[in-house]
Amino acid sequence: GQLAQAWWERAYGTTVDGVMVLDPTTLSYLLRATGPITLATGDQLTSDNAVQLLLQDVYSRYPDTSVQDLFFASTAAEVFSAISSGNVDPVTFIEALTQASSERRVLIWSNDPAEQAVLDGTSLNGDLTQNGGHDRYGVYVNDATGAKMGTYLEYRLGSVDTECRNDGRAYRDIEVTVTSTAPADAGTSLPTYVTGNGQFGVTPGNTKVILAFYGADGSQFVGIERGGETVTSRTAQDFGLPVVTTALELAPGETATFHVRWLAPEESSGSPVTEMTPGVHTIETEAPRFACEIP
């Protein structure tokens, strides 16, 4: 929030009181409450087509990035106008925001200490160090393609406690499967602005991400595998939390599964939670099972 505030001040010379971040999926939820919105282009923006239009179609329709920016600015203005008019279904509106915030699609920072105090401890804060009384683990995704290929990624997340040790400390096992749903000819059929055109060393049509696995406060990193084989990774700390990162590049249709093991804190809450950066698609969850030994 503070970085965005500084960027705005440098660009426009004014100071904003707060910063709100939301994604196109959140917008699709809000459109349930506003109903269809007619854009300046004549398009009807609806809950069903918002994600497809904003994350895929606009890049094919308008190759000029300046025109894309105008489209997004116009769309944001129309949506804000529809919401601020008050002509929305209040129950549906609150339900949409509740769903989006529970999926970590809405984050808010306020420059006012009193307002920020209200946000502290909620899912709207985004503070990695606030765990709500749980052992909190995370899987966070950073784009490394330098383009717009993330919309073609699907995720499956699973986590479970595996009890093997005589001292009673459990292992927290986390499994993440990432699949590229990009078309087989993505390198040539998608606009270069979407593929990145190899500008950052990624083969056009492929998608590269950095996966950052965060351990709970007091946990210890044990190991990371991809398909049963140990992978190259880096360990670090962020706000005192243990982190391990690894890079992943997927070709269209390719899938990769990672298994990360943490040793739970000595004083565990007994109710761990694992969260993940929200994607375009709903993240599937499952409860995997693991043996006590990993290579």
Side-chain angles (χ1 to χ4, degrees):
Q2 292 172 321
L3 282 173
Q5 182 191 53
W7 289 332
W8 184 277
E9 185 171 0
R10 184 175 65 181
Y12 301 105
T14 57
T15 301
V16 298
D17 296 323
V19 177
M20 177 183 294
V21 179
L22 51 85
D23 66 2
T25 301
T26 298
L27 177 58
S28 73
Y29 297 165
L30 295 176
L31 284 166
R32 300 171 189 163
T34 65
I37 295 176
T38 302
L39 304 178
T41 58
D43 292 287
Q44 284 277 314
L45 189 68
T46 70
S47 178
D48 293 330
N49 72 4
V51 173
Q52 174 78 26
L53 178 60
L54 297 175
L55 292 183
Q56 295 183 7
D57 294 351
V58 66
Y59 299 113
S60 300
R61 189 185 301 178
Y62 307 113
D64 188 332
T65 56
S66 62
V67 177
Q68 295 170 11
D69 290 342
L70 289 173
F71 178 88
F72 290 131
S74 173
T75 300
E78 293 288 348
V79 172
F80 183 80
S81 176
I83 293 174
S84 60
S85 71
N87 188 26
V88 298
D89 182 315
V91 174
T92 305
F93 183 75
I94 295 300
E95 289 175 345
L97 283 178
T98 300
Q99 179 182 356
S101 63
S102 69
E103 296 172 357
R104 295 182 58 78
R105 299 185 185 277
V106 180
L107 298 174
I108 304 175
W109 170 82
S110 174
N111 194 44
D112 184 302
E115 293 179 352
Q116 186 59 41
V118 175
L119 297 170
D120 289 343
T122 72
S123 62
L124 299 174
N125 185 333
D127 188 341
L128 297 175
T129 63
Q130 295 183 357
N131 58 25
H134 300 279
D135 292 338
R136 180 174 168 186
Y137 299 82
V139 183
Y140 305 115
V141 184
N142 269 333
D143 172 73
T145 314
K148 304 292 182 180
M149 292 296 294
T151 187
Y152 294 101
L153 292 182
E154 291 186 351
Y155 301 96
R156 189 169 68 246
L157 172 68
S159 57
V160 67
D161 280 352
T162 305
E163 298 183 359
C164 306
R165 296 166 53 100
N166 293 331
D167 63 3
R169 289 179 69 182
Y171 291 119
R172 183 65 172 176
D173 286 303
I174 297 173
E175 185 176 80
V176 175
T177 299
V178 189
T179 301
S180 171
T181 63
D185 61 350
T188 55
S189 65
L190 297 178
T192 57
Y193 188 71
V194 173
T195 66
N197 202 32
Q199 183 177 359
F200 294 95
V202 180
T203 301
N206 287 7
T207 309
K208 185 176 181 179
V209 295
I210 305 297
L211 296 172
F213 297 89
Y214 277 63
D217 186 19
S219 66
Q220 299 173 28
F221 172 64
V222 177
I224 179 172
E225 303 172 341
R226 174 181 173 179
E229 301 291 334
T230 301
V231 297
T232 301
S233 62
R234 293 184 177 183
T235 56
Q237 283 200 337
D238 186 17
F239 290 98
L241 301 175
V243 186
V244 58
T245 64
T246 190
L248 169 66
E249 183 172 340
L250 293 177
E254 190 176 7
T255 294
T257 298
F258 291 89
H259 169 205
V260 177
R261 171 165 285 183
W262 300 93
L263 178 60
E266 289 188 16
E267 298 182 3
S268 174
S269 69
S271 56
V273 295
T274 304
E275 64 185 24
M276 188 171 184
T277 301
V280 174
H281 309 284
T282 301
I283 297 174
E284 297 182 21
T285 58
E286 58 183 11
R289 299 183 62 182
F290 296 99
C292 285
E293 296 79 18
I294 64 172

